Amino acid sequence: MYAQMIKSEATQDDPALLEAFQARIDDNQKIEPKDWMPEGYRKTLIRQIGQHAHSEIVGQLPEGNWITRAPTLERKAILLAKVQDEAGHGLYLYCAAETLGVSRDELFEMLHSGRMKYSSIFNYPTLTWADMGAVGWLVDGAAIMNQVPLQRTSYGPYARAMVRICKEESFHQRQGYDIMMKMCKGTDAQKKMAQDALNRLWYPSLMMFGPSDKDSVHSEQSMAWKIKMNTNDELRQKFVDQTVPQAEYLGLSVPDENLKWNEEKGGYDFSEPDWSEFYDVLKGNGPCNTERLNTRKQAWADGAWVREGMLAHAAKKRIAKVAAQ
Ligand code: FAQ
């Protein structure tokens, strides 16, 4: 792998290679780990896939908060399964990133030192059981809207990981909506709780798609390379158009007085999120940034004995193998 990387760096500026690479992308061919790729393509993928993997892992925390407090045994089992699925998604994605020549230890180090991000949404707290409904409905709903197109992304291992992830995210979204339905058909207090969850999580969910297109740094190049299939605003619009009728069905109101169907564009007009809040959360100043990162760092420290044990076991086996030769 290292030799291959050195070789690819030496040929980075070769216009013929770059042209042939772009032609493969334009022809919808998949790029596989051993294929030549521009360094920028490789780095962008590590950034996006790594950030995505971290989001799945950190994303377990707001829901993990409610496993011990789920209202019934059935709800607890469903939530537990969902949170375990998210761990699995993180693992597929770390594996996909590793095929690009970065190690899992390096990815964790970058998360823990703040050099790599995870989705802004997970820096908000989950205050009531209704938040479990709203996270499934809105957060998984937004994740699916973004990830279904990524099944066609140009990098083979990422596209294939997305296929399974999307199937599981659909189940997650349905279970979230099911919780919202129960709450909305329940007592006045339960419906109020559901409305409160929607009020708090609506704009953070819209932020999941990233800054508006005019402020997106990576979209243009990532779309040319088919690392991203849509712009941030395109997906945000699709999400609003899909979600507003679902809120209406629940009898809930979306907390946006500018929300209005626009016949001409065939979609809703809606208020932009507060982008200063978004950038502030990215800088580490969201309500839960410190708590989330500290929890992950603690988990890494707590797992040190497992890693050390496994390395010692592998070393022992290696010595035994050499001795037997
Ligand atoms: N949060 O130039 P762009 C899930 C950063 S999975 C934090 O537009 P790009 C499952 C961006 O990194 C959710 N940072 O960036 C689940 C860049 O900064 P950088 C995660 C954000 O990459 C559900 C800067 O802003 N999904 O939820 C965010 O082209 C329930 C400029 O932005 C994925 O990761 C943000 N929201 O577009 C788990 C999907 N938005 O890196 C548990 C794959 C932007 O230069 C419970 N990723 N930034 O320092 C993508 O599609 C893209 O990376 C975007 C951002 C669309 C997120």
Side-chain angles (χ1 to χ4, degrees):
M1 170 61 84
Y2 187 58
Q4 184 198 339
M5 276 166 61
I6 291 174
K7 187 170 162 241
S8 59
E9 271 166 25
T11 50
Q12 278 305 305
D13 298 328
D14 185 334
L17 271 176
L18 286 170
E19 205 177 303
F21 179 80
Q22 191 61 47
R24 288 188 65 192
I25 302 267
D26 296 342
D27 189 38
N28 289 326
Q29 290 179 31
K30 291 280 177 256
I31 307 300
E32 296 298 338
K34 289 187 176 158
D35 295 346
W36 182 87
M37 60 185 81
E39 192 54 15
Y41 178 85
R42 193 180 73 84
K43 283 192 175 144
T44 303
L45 276 170
I46 291 175
R47 182 185 60 79
Q48 181 168 314
I49 302 174
Q51 180 167 311
H52 193 166
H54 296 324
S55 303
E56 298 283 355
I57 297 301
V58 178
Q60 294 178 101
L61 301 175
E63 289 173 305
N65 185 33
W66 282 91
I67 290 172
T68 53
R69 287 180 271 168
T72 66
L73 182 60
E74 192 190 3
R75 290 288 182 201
K76 186 186 180 100
I78 294 170
L79 187 59
L80 198 55
K82 178 184 191 296
V83 172
Q84 282 173 343
D85 283 352
E86 279 145 14
H89 298 174
L91 297 184
Y92 315 146
L93 288 164
Y94 284 128
C95 287
E98 281 173 314
T99 65
L100 292 154
V102 66
S103 75
R104 204 171 295 202
D105 282 5
E106 283 171 293
L107 290 168
F108 282 133
E109 196 281 318
M110 285 193 273
L111 171 69
H112 297 156
S113 64
R115 281 189 295 136
M116 253 181 127
K117 297 185 169 78
Y118 56 87
S119 182
S120 50
I121 186 74
F122 302 117
N123 292 307
Y124 291 84
T126 45
L127 302 178
T128 72
W129 174 251
D131 288 14
M132 293 302 92
V135 165
W137 171 37
L138 301 174
V139 177
D140 284 281
I144 297 168
M145 193 57 81
N146 168 281
Q147 288 167 30
V148 164
L150 291 179
Q151 293 176 107
R152 292 179 285 111
T153 191
S154 59
Y155 189 56
Y158 191 27
R160 290 189 285 275
M162 278 301 130
V163 174
R164 178 154 175 193
I165 291 178
C166 283
K167 283 188 181 141
E168 292 177 350
E169 299 287 25
S170 301
F171 153 73
H172 295 172
Q173 202 262 357
R174 291 295 293 270
Q175 71 84 40
Y177 197 69
D178 185 62
I179 294 176
M180 294 305 273
M181 291 259 278
K182 274 276 179 328
M183 302 288 287
C184 291
K185 285 186 184 158
T187 63
D188 285 352
Q190 284 172 315
K191 187 155 184 193
K192 219 169 142 197
M193 230 189 248
Q195 180 65 57
D196 172 61
L198 172 57
N199 292 349
R200 282 181 292 104
L201 289 167
W202 174 254
Y203 288 103
S205 300
L206 296 189
M207 293 174 194
M208 284 178 73
F209 297 97
S212 58
D213 289 353
K214 65 180 172 26
D215 297 318
S216 171
V217 183
H218 304 289
S219 284
E220 195 182 342
Q221 180 60 73
S222 290
M223 286 179 68
W225 278 331
K226 297 191 181 159
I227 289 173
K228 264 170 102 162
M229 306 305 286
N230 303 86
T231 73
N232 301 351
D233 285 338
E234 275 168 15
L235 292 175
R236 194 169 8 251
Q237 178 73 53
K238 278 181 87 173
F239 174 75
V240 171
D241 294 344
Q242 174 185 282
T243 311
V244 170
Q246 295 172 349
E248 282 167 359
Y249 187 76
L250 292 169
L252 297 178
S253 45
V254 171
D256 180 357
E257 55 192 28
N258 298 317
L259 187 74
K260 199 164 164 263
W261 178 256
N262 181 331
E263 194 61 47
E264 211 175 300
K265 79 170 179 188
Y268 286 90
D269 290 331
F270 58 95
S271 302
E272 295 261 319
D274 175 353
W275 291 117
S276 62
E277 177 182 318
F278 170 75
Y279 286 113
D280 213 30
V281 171
L282 257 55
K283 274 193 231 141
N285 302 324
C288 298
N289 292 61
T290 308
E291 183 188 332
R292 300 289 186 241
L293 211 51
N294 283 347
T295 307
R296 288 311 313 157
K297 285 192 222 167
Q298 189 62 47
W300 179 252
D302 290 347
W305 68 273
V306 180
R307 295 191 298 277
E308 282 160 19
M310 288 182 78
L311 286 173
H313 181 67
K316 210 164 87 182
K317 278 183 86 175
R318 250 195 327 270
I319 291 165
K321 201 171 158 195
V322 172
Q325 278 168 0

